[in-house]
């Protein structure tokens, strides 16, 4: 068993653990009442949240990168909003995986494999797959699959989720997950449910095409991408896990082609952010030296492709700790005056790698003023200020930003780092406790607060905050425990 398949197995077991085993059962929504059969939207969300937290914490292929998160969510949420949904109900993320796949989990969590992003020839093609997955979520296909089986128990749901993940994986890692799913039981039954029915697939296609049209993407992108996936053969075909979980019939293809023909033909340019997002995933695949050689050998005719090439070279060179080459490639990219927050972030990274932290912080700040939606530039600025020995400034930034985004884990992490750098241990522990509380790890949060309380450090405001937070979290933990016994 490879290290990777082992880790996936660990993920699968972690999922089973969090969904089935008693200690965590209290966190689960009430799944009883088989007469009602199926899942409410709130229950779906809760199950999705639990699974997502496990993926974030334990799945090594999960790409924890603010730029990747930013691009995927702005694309996905734009599509969801165009389809009439509430964009914040959706969360999109990327898994580092060469197989061509994407899948939706309960509660609007949608995963896209990096392999699929790299295989997309246009942004419209990527939007087509994302739109299709949004269709599955919008139409509550997972919940309706449960409806059909009529047995909405925690075990069934856990297996369902595992089967989604297993089905989404190609090759041996999928096997490991599937095996783990058997531990959870009923895997075979779940697998049948999970391969969505043809009518669900067509529904997802229809919603996907509508959202693409409403967003201004080229619906033909969905058709051409699915067509290419369908035509793949040999080892390439084995990589198209997408077709296993979303079976592509001749009728479905004809259906899509018919719908697209109805609309006017459309030529849609890719966004600059898309080409750099794809270039970043490209530069991050494989060993640094190999990645650098690979992206350098790419030919680029169009302006966007040339920019993407310089961007990828700079990024891969940074990974390879070659700041000279990185800064040369960045200069080429700057000469092109290619507009994107990705360029600003890259410039800050290059400066940072050269030890110029004050300059990197300034680039981030100016970049954020130019691209206010790219909030990750603000977090990057804070990291650079910490490196530059300005933790007080960072503590203030984090406090202010938390007013707008109280659910942002990265801000608590930043706060903890800033306090640690100032030797303010009690404040640091308080920030760490909030981070654990956000992750719903109440015992760890309480432990941090107890340490902070016992140390007696911090001013009376900090100590009062610690006392009151400790009371709240203890009450919440007690609540969870008593719910479990019911
Ligand atoms: Zn599908």
């Amino acid at each position: 068993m490879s290290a990777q398949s082992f880790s996936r197995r660990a993920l699968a077991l972690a999922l089973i653990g969090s969904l089935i085993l008693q200690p965590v059962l209290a966190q689960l929504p009430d799944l009883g009442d088989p007469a009602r059969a199926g899942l409410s939207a709130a229950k779906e969300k809760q199950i999705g949240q639990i699974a997502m937290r496990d993926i974030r914490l334990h799945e090594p292929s999960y790409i924890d990168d603010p730029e990747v998160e930013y691009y995927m969510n702005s694309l996905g949420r734009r599509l969801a909003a165009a389809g009439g949904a509430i964009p914040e109900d959706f969360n999109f993320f990327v898994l580092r995986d060469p197989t061509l796949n994407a899948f939706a989990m309960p509660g609007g969590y949608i995963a896209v494999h990096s392999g699929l992003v790299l295989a997309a020839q246009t942004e419209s093609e990527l939007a087509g797959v994302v739109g299709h997955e949004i269709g599955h979520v919008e139409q509550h296909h997972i919940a309706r699959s449960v409806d059909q089986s009529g047995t909405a128990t925690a075990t069934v749901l856990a297996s369902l989720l595992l089967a989604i993940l297993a089905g989404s994986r190609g090759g041996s890692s999928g096997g490991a997950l599937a095996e783990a799913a058997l531990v959870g039981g009923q895997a075979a039954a779940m697998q049948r449910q999970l391969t969505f029915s043809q009518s669900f697939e067509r529904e997802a296609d229809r919603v996907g095409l509508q959202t693409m049209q409403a967003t201004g993407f080229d619906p033909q992108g969905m058709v051409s991408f699915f067509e290419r996936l369908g035509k793949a053969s040999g080892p390439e075909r084995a990589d198209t896990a997408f077709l296993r979980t979303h079976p592509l019939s001749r009728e479905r293809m004809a259906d899509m082609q018919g719908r697209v023909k109805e609309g006017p033909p459309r030529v849609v340019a890719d966004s600059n952010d898309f080409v750099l997002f794809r270039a970043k995933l490209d530069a991050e695949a494989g060993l640094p030296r190999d990645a650098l050689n690979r992206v350098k050998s790419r030919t680029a005719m169009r302006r966007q492709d040339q920019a993407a090439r310089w961007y990828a070279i700079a990024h891969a060179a940074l990974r390879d700790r070659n700041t000279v080459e990185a800064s040369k490639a960045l200069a080429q990219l700057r000469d092109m005056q290619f507009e994107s927050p990705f360029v600003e972030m890259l410039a800050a990274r290059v400066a940072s790698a050269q030890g110029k932290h004050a300059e990197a912080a300034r680039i981030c700040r100016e970049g954020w003023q130019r691209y206010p939606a790219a909030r990750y530039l603000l977090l990057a600025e804070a990291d650079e200020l910490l490196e530059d020995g300005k933790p007080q400034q960072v503590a203030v930034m984090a406090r202010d930003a938390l007013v707008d985004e109280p659910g942002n884990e990265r801000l608590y992490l930043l706060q903890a780092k800033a306090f640690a750098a100032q030797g303010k241990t009690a404040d640091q522990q308080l920030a760490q406790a909030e981070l654990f509380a956000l992750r719903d790890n109440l015992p760890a949060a309480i432990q941090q607060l107890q340490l902070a309380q016992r140390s007696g450090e911090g001013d009376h405001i900090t100590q009062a905050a610690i006392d009151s937070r400790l009371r709240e979290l203890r009450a919440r933990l007690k609540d969870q425990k008593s719910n479990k016994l019911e």
Side-chain angles (χ1 to χ4, degrees), residues 1-6 8-9 97 99 166 169-180 238-239 244:
M1 189 184 281
S2 72
Q4 201 182 23
S5 69
F6 176 78
R8 292 231 164 100
R9 191 187 157 85
D97 191 315
T99 61
R169 306 299 199 180
S172 58
S173 53
L177 257 181
E179 189 191 316
D239 278 345
R244 258 186 287 128

Side-chain angles (χ1 to χ4, degrees), residues 136-203:
H136 280 309
V137 173
E138 286 256 279
Q139 301 296 312
H140 297 281
H141 285 159
I142 295 173
R144 281 160 66 192
S145 298
V146 173
D147 270 355
Q148 284 162 2
S149 81
T151 48
T153 66
T155 317
V156 169
L157 288 167
S159 307
L160 184 62
L161 200 50
L162 284 169
I164 295 175
L165 293 173
S168 76
R169 306 299 199 180
S172 58
S173 53
L177 257 181
E179 189 191 316
L182 274 173
V183 179
Q186 309 187 31
M190 288 312 108
Q191 198 69 55
R192 272 199 301 278
Q193 284 183 345
L194 252 219
T195 306
F196 288 129
S197 68
Q198 282 295 320
S199 63
F200 281 2
E201 286 306 323
R202 283 194 207 185
E203 240 173 46

Side-chain angles (χ1 to χ4, degrees), residues 102 129 132-133 135-136 141 194 196-197 200-202 204-205 226 242 245-247 252:
V129 172
H132 176 93
E133 294 304 329
H136 280 309
H141 285 159
L194 252 219
F196 288 129
S197 68
F200 281 2
E201 286 306 323
R202 283 194 207 185
D205 291 338
F226 282 12
F242 191 75
T245 41
H246 308 260
R252 205 183 130 202

Side-chain angles (χ1 to χ4, degrees), residues 225-277:
F225 202 21
F226 282 12
E227 242 166 17
R228 265 211 328 282
L229 291 178
K231 277 186 192 141
S233 56
E236 221 190 325
R237 176 148 191 105
D239 278 345
T240 52
F242 191 75
L243 297 182
R244 258 186 287 128
T245 41
H246 308 260
L248 186 65
S249 65
R250 207 165 294 197
E251 291 75 19
R252 205 183 130 202
M253 216 50 234
D255 226 38
M256 260 191 276
Q257 280 157 343
R259 281 179 202 280
V260 169
K261 270 195 203 119
E262 284 167 22
R266 197 182 252 171
V267 181
V268 183
D270 293 338
S271 71
N272 285 353
D273 288 0
F274 167 71
V275 296
L276 298 189
F277 162 71

